[in-house]
Amino acid sequence: MQQKRRVPKRIAQIVLNSLKGGVVPRIGLPYITVGRKAEIEALLHDVDVIQEGGASFRFIVGRYGSGKSFLLQTIRNYVMDKNFVVVDGDLSPERRLQGSKGQGLATYRELIQNLSTKTRPEGGALTLILDRWINSVQTQVVSEGIASDDPKFEAAVDQKIYGVISSLNELVHGFDFAKLLNMYYHAYMSGDDETKAKVVKWFRGEYSHKTEAKKDLGVDIIISDSDWYEYLKLFATFFRQAGYAGLMIMIDELVNIYKIPNAISRQYNYEKILTMYNDTLQGKAKYLGIIMCGTPQAVEDRRRGVYSYEALRSRLASGKFAQESARDMYAPVIRLEPLTAEEMLVLTEKLADMHANLYGYERTITDNDLAQFIKIEYARVGADTNITPREIIRDFIELLDIVWQNPDKKITDLLNSDQFSYTKSEAVSDNAEKDYTEFKI
């Protein structure tokens, strides 16, 4: 019999609390991942392509609660383990891909704030990466036989730093980007923390006026609404030179573009998506992966969704041979199918074991109880297409909590009682009037 993995209590607490609240935990996902094998394999194939110097762009499409954010988080953790740098963020009314009032720049700032690596998974890793890059160059020079107190040491480090920086000059905005990297390096070497902080402020897109950047750093350019994506391409190339595998950009809540009332503003945002998509397919971006998530309506609606922009629809729409039983996982759009009852049964068993381990009791819920719970959940009208993992998980953790806090209550009695009512289906939530600020999984 296979040994069950014991989940550390700290992780179990975070996982159960997050799931009960309807959000995806940042840690502990391997303990509860079920299904999605084909989707994960397709996305991991992209990772191999990116590491080889290529680029990829994927849309993950699924209803609220179908597991988009969960899949995104799973891939995020995997690529960080593979030495990728990851930036992730949600779009909102204030954060778009393009805007006339700083909404595009707001998205860039959010992404850079969430910049993460394996050693700094919680975000804010930019300074760490820059310092690590300089340290690694110094170490490399020492390994080549030049001691740190040797008069030739600084010149040798300068030469290697220049080699990395000069490779960026050919890219759009590369000259200024390289100039600022060089400035950071010299500030690091001289212990000038004030200049280092100003350079990092520039990289984060926090300069609002060119005059301020000119005064502080001597550069006539700042990151803006219109060109922030070009700087992410520069970062992808730089991160590779700095010893990382590449950069993965993850953007959730595409529905906030769908919700933009002004048609022209929506089109500008879809035009930005088209630019990013074309860059990855035409070889204009290297060591870069982009994943965007949205509901079926936000993507496929021909009036307001991504498919309302004909240039995108013609590139992304399924071909004539695609069908539910034979999906093309290498297509740019991955549609999440509902988890099967069998997969949900496996998930509830994992959660039951985790709950018992966390609160230190012998698991009382039997395999028959689990099967009965799943049967009740899937007995809803339209459950085969409308039920989502989020709804079932919330119901199940609530059931576990009630039984644990009320030992006199029997699971079978609760399941068969008239009082047992599951979370209302979120099938109606795929419309433009929904409050999209609700928690997601």
Side-chain angles (χ1 to χ4, degrees), residues 77-113:
N77 291 349
Y78 178 87
V79 298
M80 283 196 299
D81 277 343
K82 284 279 190 177
N83 200 32
F84 271 77
V85 179
V86 179
V87 293
D88 64 317
D90 292 353
L91 297 182
S92 71
E94 294 76 35
R95 291 194 295 268
R96 301 175 183 173
L97 301 176
Q98 189 79 31
S100 58
K101 298 177 181 175
Q103 297 101 325
L105 184 58
T107 298
Y108 172 84
R109 288 172 177 164
E110 173 78 0
L111 292 171
I112 294 297
Q113 183 180 324

Side-chain angles (χ1 to χ4, degrees), residues 17-38:
N17 283 350
S18 298
L19 293 177
K20 191 176 181 183
V23 297
V24 180
R26 282 258 178 177
I27 62 172
L29 293 185
Y31 294 107
I32 53 171
T33 301
V34 297
R36 305 292 182 226
K37 186 170 182 284

